[in-house]
Amino acid sequence: MAYLEDKGENIMYMMTQVTMPVEKKPIAIIGAGGIVTDSHLPAYQKAGFQVLAIYDRDAEKAKSVAGQWGIDSPCQTINELIRIAVSRGCVFDIAVPASEIISIINLLPKNSAVLIQKPMGETIEQAKEILDCCRDKRMVAGINFQLRRAPFMIAAKSMIEQGKLGDIHDVEMRVVCQTPWNLWKFLFEKERMEVNYHSIHYIDAIRYFLGDPQAVYCKTMKHPKMMELAQTRSSIIMDYGDIIRANIHTNHGHDYAAAKQECFFKIEGTRGAIKIQIGVILNYPQGSVDKFEYILDDGKGWRELPIEGSWFPEAFIGPMAGLQCKMEDEHYEYLNSVEDAWKTMCVVEACYRSSTAGETPVIY
């Protein structure tokens, strides 16, 4: 992290810098879908990581993506990719639906390094199976919860750690938008959709700021115009006791004009507050601008902090860079470790249990 501070205005301008490994290792990617072409590959190109091989069960898709991104080896089989990866010392990058993760990591050699796209399985049972497999095979393994790695989140974390906001007592994530779920056809088959594939980002980000909640209250539900999807709206309270409030509100069915869509992450403390507009979610996939605004107890009112980079694709650099730093130094604190991701999945599981059994009748 590098800082340039204007002493006169006492405003901190921040350029987020990801800690990179001493020696960058090549990458072998399993999966060639939209998340890979829109985020993984642009991020790795920006960071200077070389992708040597790619596999997808749709061999023509893998070949097409390889041609577009200059990847030497579009593989016909996953075993072919594994052979190349082992011979060239590659890190594995898995970007497939969560239900397919365990079958793939079971194929990987012991002591592999692997970054796995979120979520960590469809259920808590699958998450535990993934965790146990990574431990048993002594893998250096991470889950790609990348929102905590977004430049604006790193900037917010830095301001909090410097004490600029005082004691944090209120965190809110609000999403009101029209999400084109048709872009991800596999989600229409999922029994657990909104929390497991979207709000999980916000749960993980709040854990990054506040630590592990003691309980959750949740209701996740359908939308009358999107009945073919299991859930598209959620209300989640993460319980941190009697002083700290942490809420997540998502409504992916607001189709009444882009100008009224909202997506913000707000953090309030005893000495100041931060409000971040996350532009990529608004009017997706066109998106809008990010905005980092903050106020301190210095009487100067709300102001804006310029931030370099965004969630997509810059936040995808950190999980891969951190994995490779962990490979070089076992004592490196890897923010995206499977052990930490397991705790996020435990919160997600509690959300689904609360949504089913958490209703309390009102007695009149």
Side-chain angles (χ1 to χ4, degrees), residues 83-122:
R83 286 196 298 271
I84 292 171
V86 171
S87 67
R88 300 292 296 276
C90 291
V91 173
F92 292 97
D93 186 15
I94 299 175
V96 299
S99 58
E100 300 176 23
I101 293 170
I102 190 63
S103 63
I104 291 173
I105 60 173
N106 275 325
L107 296 174
L108 303 184
K110 291 182 177 179
N111 303 306
S112 295
V114 55
L115 180 62
I116 303 165
Q117 183 59 36
K118 64 83 194 167
M120 189 177 172
E122 302 286 359

Side-chain angles (χ1 to χ4, degrees), residues 166-358:
D167 297 326
I168 303 304
H169 59 80
D170 202 280
V171 177
E172 180 179 1
M173 182 71 216
R174 182 173 178 83
V175 179
V176 179
C177 66
Q178 175 68 11
T179 299
W181 294 113
N182 58 292
L183 296 177
W184 304 280
K185 299 293 188 184
F186 75 95
L187 292 178
F188 288 77
E189 304 169 359
K190 302 301 178 185
E191 294 182 9
R192 294 181 167 190
M193 205 286 284
E194 202 286 322
V195 177
N196 213 29
Y197 280 89
H198 189 87
S199 284
I200 192 170
H201 284 299
Y202 312 134
I203 291 170
D204 186 72
I206 290 173
R207 281 193 58 248
Y208 177 55
F209 285 96
L210 299 180
D212 299 325
Q214 61 192 32
V216 296
Y217 305 83
C218 172
K219 184 64 180 179
T220 183
M221 61 208 79
K222 294 176 178 286
H223 190 284
K225 293 183 179 179
M226 305 177 187
M227 294 297 288
E228 64 274 27
L229 286 161
Q231 310 92 22
T232 57
R233 296 174 294 164
S234 300
S235 294
I236 302 169
I237 298 173
M238 296 171 67
D239 187 352
Y240 289 93
D242 295 335
I243 296 175
I244 298 174
R245 184 186 78 109
N247 283 1
I248 300 168
H249 171 95
T250 59
N251 172 11
H252 294 275
H254 182 82
D255 58 353
Y256 298 107
K260 294 300 182 182
Q261 293 185 11
E262 296 179 278
C263 183
F264 65 78
F265 186 72
K266 182 168 62 66
I267 308 166
E268 296 184 17
T270 54
R271 296 182 52 202
I274 294 170
K275 185 176 182 180
I276 303 167
Q277 175 174 290
I278 303 176
V280 69
I281 300 297
L282 301 173
N283 197 30
Y284 193 88
Q286 289 78 19
S288 184
V289 296
D290 295 335
K291 184 182 291 187
F292 187 112
E293 297 175 290
Y294 70 102
I295 187 170
L296 304 177
D297 60 354
D298 54 11
K300 295 181 179 180
W302 283 92
R303 65 206 93 167
E304 189 170 342
L305 180 70
I307 301 290
E308 290 184 9
S310 187
W311 185 353
F312 295 80
E314 284 81 7
F316 286 74
I317 297 173
M320 176 55 73
L323 181 77
Q324 297 198 19
C325 287
K326 185 68 173 179
M327 294 171 66
E328 293 178 340
D329 178 6
E330 63 177 345
H331 301 296
Y332 176 81
E333 185 181 356
Y334 182 33
L335 295 181
N336 293 89
S337 69
V338 287
E339 287 79 11
D340 187 82
W342 160 255
K343 295 179 181 179
T344 291
M345 294 304 296
C346 288
V347 179
V348 169
E349 177 68 17
C351 285
Y352 281 108
R353 290 181 179 176
S354 174
S355 186
T356 301

Side-chain angles (χ1 to χ4, degrees), residues 40-76:
H40 291 236
L41 290 171
Y44 299 159
Q45 184 180 75
K46 184 181 280 282
F49 289 116
Q50 182 184 14
V51 178
L52 286 183
I54 188 167
Y55 163 78
D56 193 279
R57 57 185 166 191
D58 183 339
E60 287 304 312
K61 181 188 289 185
K63 183 177 180 181
S64 175
V65 171
Q68 293 169 28
W69 288 91
I71 301 170
D72 289 344
S73 300
C75 299
Q76 294 288 320

Side-chain angles (χ1 to χ4, degrees), residues 1-5 12-18 154 158 308:
M1 189 82 68
Y3 306 98
L4 175 62
E5 188 163 355
M12 183 175 57
Y13 296 89
M14 191 172 301
M15 296 173 290
T16 55
Q17 295 182 339
V18 174
I154 297 173
S158 178
E308 290 184 9

